[in-house]
Amino acid sequence: GWSAPFPKLPGAATVTAAEDFKVEASTLPDEKRGLLTKAALPRGAVLPPYQGRVLTFAEGSNAGKQVWCPVSAGLKYVFSPDDAASGALSKEPSFCIDSSETTKGNPARFVNEVYSVDQCKEVNLEICELGEVMYYRTTRDVPAGGELVTDSGDVSC
């Protein structure tokens, strides 16, 4: 399954399953729901990969909150924005993932990100990429019932 390559990653303590999490009220202001652990997770625990529909470059150009793009796609948006939005690349798969409709068995979709420096102390996940697959890995021990939170790079934590 999806988890086969992950235990071999440097710093991967354990691989989790969708059943290890619950979606409940978020502890972050302005967020309704968040991803919480059912049991404690050690530093280095790997969450199931971010799942959803693969977007074309044109679709990825108008990405929403639940869209993640691999570094390779992001570079094309930066260096060839017109080509990605409406040119030769526009109909090609970008490998950007839209998880807005993929809610079952996709716990990564419910991870919230911080929106201010004051919230940086809440960050306990890092965003990792293996090939063109995005997953989260814990950066510290997370207690049972703890909300999983990341910094997407918009805030400098």
Side-chain angles (χ1 to χ4, degrees):
W2 73 266
S3 62
F6 288 95
K8 298 174 188 154
L9 292 173
T14 187
V15 176
T16 61
E19 298 77 34
D20 296 332
F21 306 97
K22 55 188 175 182
V23 177
E24 292 187 353
S26 176
T27 59
L28 296 176
D30 302 322
E31 294 290 352
K32 292 181 181 177
R33 300 183 298 171
L35 185 67
L36 286 71
T37 63
K38 288 183 180 176
L41 294 179
R43 179 177 191 253
V46 175
L47 277 64
Y50 199 74
Q51 302 172 53
R53 186 173 69 84
V54 176
L55 303 177
T56 64
F57 275 98
E59 292 170 321
S61 294
N62 300 315
K65 183 177 177 182
Q66 302 300 329
V67 173
W68 171 84
C69 293
V71 171
S72 60
L75 292 174
K76 290 177 183 170
Y77 286 118
V78 170
F79 293 109
S80 305
D82 295 335
D83 201 25
S86 58
L89 281 176
S90 65
K91 291 185 172 72
E92 297 294 321
S94 65
F95 298 100
C96 294
I97 302 296
D98 180 355
S99 73
S100 60
E101 295 179 14
T102 309
T103 57
K104 292 188 187 231
N106 188 21
R109 182 237 190 269
F110 297 98
V111 169
N112 287 320
E113 60 188 64
V114 296
Y115 288 101
S116 72
V117 174
D118 295 341
Q119 296 174 333
C120 287
K121 64 185 177 300
E122 305 298 327
V123 173
N124 53 18
L125 291 178
E126 62 184 342
I127 300 171
C128 301
E129 188 175 319
L130 181 63
E132 292 175 335
V133 176
M134 188 271 265
Y135 64 96
Y136 293 106
R137 181 171 52 198
T138 56
T139 56
R140 58 185 161 102
D141 293 346
V142 180
E147 183 170 1
L148 296 165
V149 179
T150 194
D151 173 12
S152 66
D154 295 337
V155 176
S156 296
C157 288

